[in-house]
Amino acid sequence: MNKQTVAINNPFVRPDVYGALAVPVYNNVAFEFDDAVEMADAFCNRIKAPDYARVENPTVTNLEQRVKALTGADHVTAFNSGMAAISNTLLAVTAQGRNIVSSHHLFGNTLALISTTLKRFGVEPRLRNLTNLEAVAEAIDDKTCAVFLEVVTNPQLEVANLKAIAEIAHKKGVPVIADSTVIPFTETNLKALGVDVEVVSSTKYLSGGGTSLGGLVIDYGTFPEINKRVKYELLFNLGAYMTPQAAYMQTLGLETLDVRYQRQAGNALWLAQELSKVVKVNYVGLENNPYHALALQQFGPTAGAMFTIDLASKEACFRFLNRLQLVHRATNLFDSRTLAIHPASTIFGNFPEEQLKEMDVRQTTIRLSIGLEDKEDILADIKQALG
């Protein structure tokens, strides 16, 4: 079946007793067993049955199974935020004395996790230019536990060669972990490019309108110890499992993801083309973008629903934001609504100026997440805010 059909029709793990077409929300903590043997088997994972909602819930399992069917992954684990998915995955691969090869071009909290939090526990961050394959090869040694990157960086919109990086990493027995939030996993085949684990903020496209927080770890099984630690150690010991309410909303979002994404990506491309006539636009969907050809090769014909514009100064950015009438001044990405933010003073507001320069986060940049509104209305509002 095609992906859109799978997103709607993947069967439940166990048939609903009432034949419900939409998976019910199981707002309960404990699950009863017929006898002591079944109970022991469930707790020790000898049978597939929920035992306690902190580690397994039927509503959450249904979402995980749908994502697994859509991606061809060996394992999918749902967490209560994108950052929980990232942190649990990195904790599964690393240890004191190990190092993570990554980039300065990361979402602010991800960068802080790698360069500050994990560093405090004895993990060395090796931040390199991941578009320089020689630098990637030089950084990996026998203490490297993973190469971590964003498939399209936020907000720099840099695209690295995933297949080439994976070939380098795999020769040295190192997994590649990729944050694929910017391009939906329904549009890509990152497994074929050598990615071993995808992490996704399902808060974004999946939630279908900014309704719920969530994160997914999509594991392709090439490094089995990663799932073993995520599913049977960290999920138990850190307690960051997705809630059934969030899973229900994100399952509904998954069913409409394709139609929403195609509209959002189409709006983004058209707006980027129109705005590039009057202001500097950074969007990998534009043919003159330096990463356009590689993005097309790796992710297919769409380029996501985020782009940036650069204005004359920080003050000009603030004036632009203050003049917006339809576009919302808010963080988040890939809401149904179009959102605008000044990353340098918000998401990266606590980073010193010197570090902002290392990350190529400029005071002149506005990040736009394009929604489902009529594209002409979005353009009109942006143009009037530009003055």
Side-chain angles (χ1 to χ4, degrees), residues 25-258:
V25 182
Y26 285 86
N27 282 314
N28 59 291
V29 173
F31 302 88
E32 189 171 15
F33 300 94
D34 290 339
D35 53 49
V37 171
E38 184 188 24
M39 189 176 191
D41 286 345
F43 270 78
C44 296
N45 202 44
R46 289 187 288 269
I47 61 171
K48 185 67 177 174
D51 49 30
Y52 188 59
R54 179 163 54 78
V55 294
E56 186 169 353
N57 175 283
T59 313
V60 185
T61 298
N62 178 65
L63 174 62
E64 293 170 336
Q65 291 298 111
R66 291 202 194 194
V67 174
K68 182 179 175 182
L70 283 164
T71 58
D74 281 32
H75 312 281
V76 175
T77 307
F79 287 93
N80 58 23
S81 71
M83 283 307 305
I86 292 169
S87 59
N88 276 264
T89 302
L90 292 182
L91 286 170
V93 297
T94 198
Q96 186 176 24
R98 306 298 296 274
N99 66 74
I100 297 172
V101 174
S102 190
S103 167
H104 288 285
H105 292 175
L106 293 174
F107 172 65
N109 292 120
T110 308
L111 182 64
L113 170 67
I114 292 172
S115 63
T116 302
T117 306
L118 293 178
K119 185 178 180 181
R120 194 167 69 246
F121 289 92
V123 180
E124 178 192 355
R126 292 189 175 176
L127 306 181
R128 302 291 191 271
N129 175 5
L130 298 187
T131 65
N132 182 339
L133 296 178
E134 290 183 0
V136 175
E138 178 274 330
I140 298 174
D141 61 20
D142 60 358
K143 296 294 184 182
T144 302
C145 62
V147 176
F148 179 90
L149 75 163
E150 296 171 4
V151 298
V152 180
T153 66
N154 172 19
Q156 304 87 355
L157 287 97
E158 175 185 274
V159 179
N161 189 322
L162 295 174
K163 191 169 186 178
I165 289 173
E167 287 175 355
I168 293 168
H170 291 165
K171 284 179 181 177
K172 300 185 179 184
V174 172
V176 175
I177 301 168
D179 183 335
S180 60
T181 298
V182 173
I183 308 288
F185 52 76
T186 50
E187 297 295 308
T188 63
N189 184 359
L190 298 192
K191 178 182 180 180
L193 297 175
V195 171
D196 301 293
V197 179
E198 286 185 61
V199 290
V200 180
S201 174
S202 55
T203 307
K204 310 302 191 290
Y205 290 116
L206 258 69
S207 72
T211 61
S212 52
L213 291 169
L216 298 169
V217 178
I218 303 171
D219 189 321
Y220 292 109
T222 44
F223 289 80
E225 70 277 7
I226 298 177
N227 177 70
K228 184 178 179 181
R229 288 175 181 162
V230 167
K231 200 84 171 178
Y232 304 110
E233 178 186 334
L234 299 168
L235 189 63
F236 283 75
N237 296 346
L238 298 184
Y241 195 45
M242 183 180 280
T243 65
Q245 295 86 355
Y248 176 77
M249 288 186 281
Q250 295 192 5
T251 300
L252 295 181
L254 185 61
E255 292 181 356
T256 61
L257 172 60
D258 183 65

Side-chain angles (χ1 to χ4, degrees), residues 357-383:
K357 290 179 180 177
E358 287 181 344
M359 294 184 290
D360 292 322
V361 175
R362 297 183 295 274
Q363 296 292 345
T364 56
T365 299
I366 294 287
R367 188 188 76 184
L368 291 160
S369 171
I370 306 303
L372 293 169
E373 305 96 338
D374 184 272
K375 61 188 180 183
E376 298 276 3
D377 291 334
I378 303 170
L379 180 63
D381 189 38
I382 292 173
K383 280 189 170 181

